[in-house]
Amino acid sequence: MRILLATTVLALLPSVLRAEPMSLDEALRRAETQAPELRAREAGVDAATSAAIAADRLPDPKLDLAIKDFPVTGPDAGRFNRDDFTMQVIGISQEFTNPAKRRARALREHAEIGVAEAEQAVAAQDVRLATALAWIDLHYAKKRLKELDSLDAELDNLQATVTARLASGAARPAQALEPEQLRAEIADRRSGLTAEIARYRAQLTRFTGDPAADTVVDLPPLAVDGDALRAGLAALPLLRGYDARTLAADAETGLARADKRPDYTVNAAYGRREPNFGDLVTVGVTIDLPLFAKKRQDPKIAARASEATRARLDREAAERAVEASLSADLAMHRMHDEQLANARTRLVPLAKKRAQLDLESFGAGRLDLGTALLSTLTLAEAEVDALAREAEVARDAVRIIYTYGETRR
């Protein structure tokens, strides 16, 4: 039993150690090591690298075993070594692919390595972005939940005021139910936020592998430098992938052109005959004859060249799309930042002042409870809205940084 208990504790220890809240950087580090998408792309790079080793190698030699000129009719039909024609032959042949074709194959396979590496970098970028967004969403959902808890505490104070006024006869009995009605509405919102927190935590768990994924209180600074991002767009994994595909298309074009140069095969054979006759040796060369290039090789070259042109145009279109998307995202980020500043400097302070004045008026008997509660709810909504705007600004920054600023492989 002791051994079983110790084994169970040791098995649970890693998850217990991971149960501590993680920072954004820690979540990203875990995602880079735990996400299966990245391990899958890494296997793709390994496969492309292995395939490139044999790209420019000659084909394997071929062994030729044969019985030649065996009689099937006449007086010697079905008999070995009764005439001077039947031979037992053993031979070997080696195909020599022209050097231009071998170089083109090597270039194509190395371009495929670049494509695989770019796909790995894009997958890493996607995982980091999704992990960061899940962290941000979980972080601010928890903060919004705390705001609702604070509103609950304020309702307790308001309930005490209502009870005192009821005791003095300054309030109607029905007014005692109004704080409870508001508390019921808050409970509905709390249920929604609790579900969102569970969803965001599940998303964070998906990438980090931590079943108890949680966030720390502090959010690291997220500075967005539009000029620096524009200057580094060419190094984005997405565009590097298009560059690699363009190189692969050029290599395919070179391979098609190399088909106009002949390959040749060298072969040698030894033929054993009836002992009364001498053995024979055969040596020869077989050469491809690309004599009809206009109908065979040239159309393939034109097709591959068109594919290469399409790859370059796709790359140009992708670059323009990225530039336009960055400009649009920066504009949205500026708008959300201005809206957040407006909420912090004007909307929330005004709502807080109004709620304070209305509560004072209610305490003095100059305002009905419904209006005071509405002001309190308006303040809570303003604070929650400010948090939502802050979360949107953080999401914008994360999306911009991890979409346009992640250039590492």
Side-chain angles (χ1 to χ4, degrees):
M1 285 296 295
R2 291 180 178 177
I3 295 176
L4 179 61
L5 180 59
T7 304
T8 304
V9 171
L10 289 175
L12 294 176
L13 185 58
S15 61
V16 172
L17 292 176
R18 290 195 301 268
E20 292 295 327
M22 66 183 78
S23 66
L24 178 57
D25 290 338
E26 176 64 20
L28 294 174
R29 283 193 296 269
R30 292 185 185 181
E32 288 177 345
T33 58
Q34 297 294 330
E37 296 93 330
L38 302 187
R39 295 199 294 272
R41 295 299 180 273
E42 185 178 354
V45 174
D46 293 340
T49 302
S50 297
I53 296 175
D56 59 347
R57 300 297 188 270
L58 291 174
D60 292 331
K62 297 178 181 179
L63 179 66
D64 182 21
L65 301 175
I67 297 176
K68 292 187 177 181
D69 302 326
F70 183 72
V72 294
T73 61
D76 294 326
R79 297 181 182 181
F80 282 101
N81 300 326
R82 294 298 302 273
D83 58 28
D84 59 346
F85 296 109
T86 302
M87 289 187 296
Q88 302 168 21
V89 179
I90 179 172
I92 189 169
S93 62
Q94 173 65 60
E95 180 182 352
F96 289 88
T97 309
N98 73 76
K101 186 180 293 184
R102 291 166 60 190
R103 286 193 299 269
R105 287 175 179 172
L107 289 174
R108 180 184 61 185
E109 294 302 325
H110 281 87
E112 291 298 329
I113 294 176
V115 172
E117 289 176 342
E119 290 177 349
Q120 182 186 25
V122 169
Q125 187 181 40
D126 292 342
V127 166
R128 287 173 61 81
L129 175 59
T131 303
L133 289 177
W135 194 97
I136 292 291
D137 290 336
L138 178 58
H139 177 76
Y140 280 101
K142 290 166 57 182
K143 293 186 71 172
R144 291 198 299 272
L145 188 58
K146 286 184 178 180
E147 289 293 336
L148 292 183
D149 293 337
S150 299
L151 181 58
D152 254 348
E154 292 180 10
L155 288 178
D156 289 338
N157 297 331
L158 189 59
Q159 185 71 59
T161 303
V162 173
T163 302
R165 295 195 64 188
L166 285 173
S168 64
R172 293 179 290 106
Q175 289 181 332
L177 302 177
E178 293 183 0
E180 291 300 323
Q181 289 177 339
L182 183 56
R183 190 172 276 114
E185 294 179 8
I186 294 173
D188 285 342
R189 297 191 181 188
R190 181 181 287 105
S191 297
L193 275 175
T194 302
E196 288 185 13
I197 288 173
R199 179 161 60 91
Y200 299 143
R201 179 171 283 117
Q203 188 74 356
L204 192 58
T205 297
R206 173 194 169 189
F207 294 107
T208 63
D210 187 349
D214 201 0
T215 61
V216 296
V217 177
D218 296 329
L219 177 68
L222 300 171
V224 176
D225 187 344
D227 294 335
L229 292 174
R230 287 191 179 91
L233 286 182
L236 286 180
L238 175 65
L239 297 183
R240 291 208 310 265
Y242 279 99
D243 291 336
R245 292 182 183 91
T246 301
L247 291 177
D250 288 338
E252 290 286 354
T253 304
L255 188 59
R257 290 195 178 98
D259 280 339
K260 298 182 74 171
R261 301 183 181 184
D263 300 332
Y264 62 94
T265 302
V266 176
N267 51 74
Y270 184 87
R272 181 176 176 276
R273 300 196 296 172
E274 170 70 24
N276 295 332
F277 304 98
D279 295 343
L280 300 176
V281 172
T282 302
V283 178
V285 177
T286 302
I287 302 176
D288 294 339
L289 298 177
L291 299 178
F292 305 98
K294 290 184 178 180
K295 296 294 185 180
R296 294 178 180 173
Q297 286 80 22
D298 288 349
K300 293 181 180 180
I301 294 172
R304 298 298 176 266
S306 296
E307 290 289 340
T309 301
R310 185 181 71 173
R312 286 184 173 82
L313 293 175
D314 286 343
R315 201 276 185 196
E316 181 180 352
E319 184 175 10
R320 292 186 181 184
V322 168
E323 290 174 352
S325 180
L326 174 58
S327 297
D329 288 344
L330 289 174
M332 292 296 294
H333 183 50
R334 286 192 296 270
M335 180 193 72
H336 290 151
D337 198 39
E338 292 171 357
Q339 291 178 343
L340 173 59
N342 185 50
R344 284 175 173 172
T345 59
R346 300 183 63 186
L347 296 179
V348 172
L350 288 173
K352 186 176 296 185
K353 185 64 175 178
R354 178 178 178 181
Q356 181 181 357
L357 293 174
D358 284 348
L359 286 176
E360 292 174 355
S361 297
F362 170 71
R366 296 191 301 270
L367 190 70
D368 64 282
L369 179 61
T371 303
L373 288 176
L374 182 60
S375 297
T376 302
L377 181 60
T378 301
L379 171 60
E381 289 178 343
E383 291 174 339
V384 171
D385 179 65
L387 278 177
R389 296 185 185 195
E390 184 179 338
E392 195 62 41
V393 170
R395 283 179 60 87
D396 286 344
V398 164
R399 187 165 49 247
I400 291 171
I401 291 171
Y402 291 103
T403 300
Y404 307 102
E406 288 287 279
T407 58
R408 62 182 180 179
R409 291 183 182 274

